[in-house]
Amino acid sequence: MASLLLKDIYKVYPSGVTAVTDFTLDIEDKEFIVFVGPSGCGKSTTLRMIAGLEEISDGELYIDGKLVNNVQPKDRDIAMVFQNYALYPHMTVYDNMAFGLKLRKKPKAEIDEKVKEAARILGLEPYLTRKPKALSGGQRQRVALGRAIVREPKVFLLDEPLSNLDAKLRAQMRTEITKLHHRLATTFIYVTHDQVEAMTMGTRIVVMKDGYIQQVDAPQMLYDYPANLFVAGFIGTPQMNFFDAVLIKDADGKVYVEFEGRKVLLPKAKSDKIINPEEYLNTGKPVVFGVRPEDLHDEESFINNSKDTVIDVRVDVVEKLGAETLLYCVFNNKEDEDEQDGKVKSLVENVTQLIAKVDSRTTTQRDQNINLAIDIMHSHLFDKETELTILDGEGTKAYVPVKELERRAKEAEELALHPELAEKKAKKAKKNK
Ligand code: ADP
């Protein structure tokens, strides 16, 4: 059992790469913290700094209130489970789990008790005499967990432990690890690039990008109140729909979101939440309107009850997933038709502009022109330039480090001065896609 405090932590590799910037996080005892983000965002580096496998370039790391920057990994009371579980192939399951304790010269009886207890918790009792090659992937991963459990560490660090397993086994191991966390009542820190793992396992999620924390919150809070465009797009599948928009206020004081030649009403309860309305209303300042696929409805009853938020689209592809159906839609705009000159548009140009996740019993078909109603109270608004949410008062504990904003401002300034860099960056982004 342990609490951790990471304070203004930086990691600069000898090569000059700054992998982690200004990482500040308070982790309470017994939390299940997940670091999530795209590959290369600094998750593993942060975890390895906690483990002591990587030197901390700047900042302070406390475990249970004790500064441990210079404490050896073996003295940090931490156990780490890796993606590549690297069991000793010539040893039995029992010996694999006992090995670390033997090295520590623990008494035989104590080792035996701990190994058996771990085997019981993990359902490995029938396999104790087997060698790793006679185990399934899931069983091997459990042995790797067992090796960590027998040490009774204060903190468990897990680095993508499930990514070598197939989808079904991954789902099963996910629940097993969650159960293990409840059972051991110990602090867990888990690294993954998989947002489903993050959402299902974490008590709190730390979303990272380019070495910076983007937001820290409980899974549902992150999902409902993303603090910026990146978090909004990263958490949730299919990803949130984004539309370039502006906000209009009419003579009656009603506020509308205008996008793709369409206009939907923001109810007062929602428009009252806009931070600095004078900056956005009737100023033409670009915003991004975000709507999750499940907040778009094709049922008639919903459409009839939401007349102010209905948009018309053409269905491009219908994907029946069994439990739900995805509608890939495009906006049928007059100008686009004119541009076509009666020719068939190329497939590449014909990009999906919107995805709706609807009931699997929908009768909507491909090529149909349909209406979709937006569940507007669950929609999102972001400043196009800063990419931060412009909605407030929704109870989020959103945390966006000031340094990240400063970095973005500096980057924008540089790009304005050197337009050729912008081109390079756009090319690189396209390539990474
Ligand atoms: P993630 O775990 O999120 O995929 P990492 O923490 O592994 O990301 O890496 C973060 C950044 O640091 C990446 O740009 C990566 O290339 C770089 N990096 C990782 N390890 C090293 C290293 N040993 N030397 C130099 N750069 C590294």
Side-chain angles (χ1 to χ4, degrees), residues 371-408:
N371 281 334
L372 289 173
I374 299 172
D375 186 347
I376 198 81
M377 285 310 285
H378 291 130
S379 65
H380 305 263
L381 286 168
F382 305 92
D383 184 299
K384 185 158 166 77
E385 199 184 325
T386 66
E387 300 190 351
L388 295 178
T389 179
I390 64 166
L391 295 171
D392 192 20
E394 307 204 283
T396 178
K397 288 169 276 166
Y399 164 75
V400 178
V402 177
K403 293 228 168 67
E404 163 70 356
L405 298 183
E406 284 171 358
R407 182 188 70 86
R408 286 189 209 166

Side-chain angles (χ1 to χ4, degrees), residues 214-279:
Q214 299 289 311
Q215 190 172 358
V216 183
D217 217 327
Q220 198 63 45
M221 291 298 281
L222 273 188
Y223 192 81
D224 290 339
Y225 307 115
N228 62 30
L229 264 184
F230 177 76
V231 176
F234 192 78
I235 303 282
T237 40
Q239 127 165 21
M240 186 187 287
N241 297 292
F242 294 128
F243 310 110
D244 284 333
V246 287
L247 298 174
I248 310 285
K249 186 175 182 173
D250 73 4
D252 298 331
K254 286 189 171 161
V255 176
Y256 296 87
V257 186
E258 217 175 68
F259 64 102
E260 293 286 344
R262 280 124 182 110
K263 206 165 102 174
V264 296
L265 178 73
L266 271 191
K268 191 168 175 333
K270 191 84 181 176
S271 64
D272 278 352
K273 289 186 174 150
I274 297 173
I275 309 165
N276 293 335
E278 64 283 359
E279 201 181 328

Side-chain angles (χ1 to χ4, degrees), residues 13-15 17-20 37-46 54 159 191:
Y13 281 110
S15 60
V17 175
T18 304
V20 177
S39 174
C41 70
K43 309 176 293 284
S44 297
T45 301
T46 310
E54 208 64 75
D159 193 353
V191 160

Side-chain angles (χ1 to χ4, degrees), residues 295-322:
D295 293 326
L296 284 159
H297 296 261
D298 70 342
E299 317 98 80
E300 218 170 303
S301 56
F302 199 100
I303 292 173
N304 289 336
N305 284 326
S306 326
K307 291 224 157 62
D308 295 324
T309 64
V310 175
I311 53 172
D312 61 293
V313 293
R314 187 170 56 77
V315 181
D316 204 14
V317 175
V318 176
E319 229 175 50
K320 291 211 166 276
L321 299 178

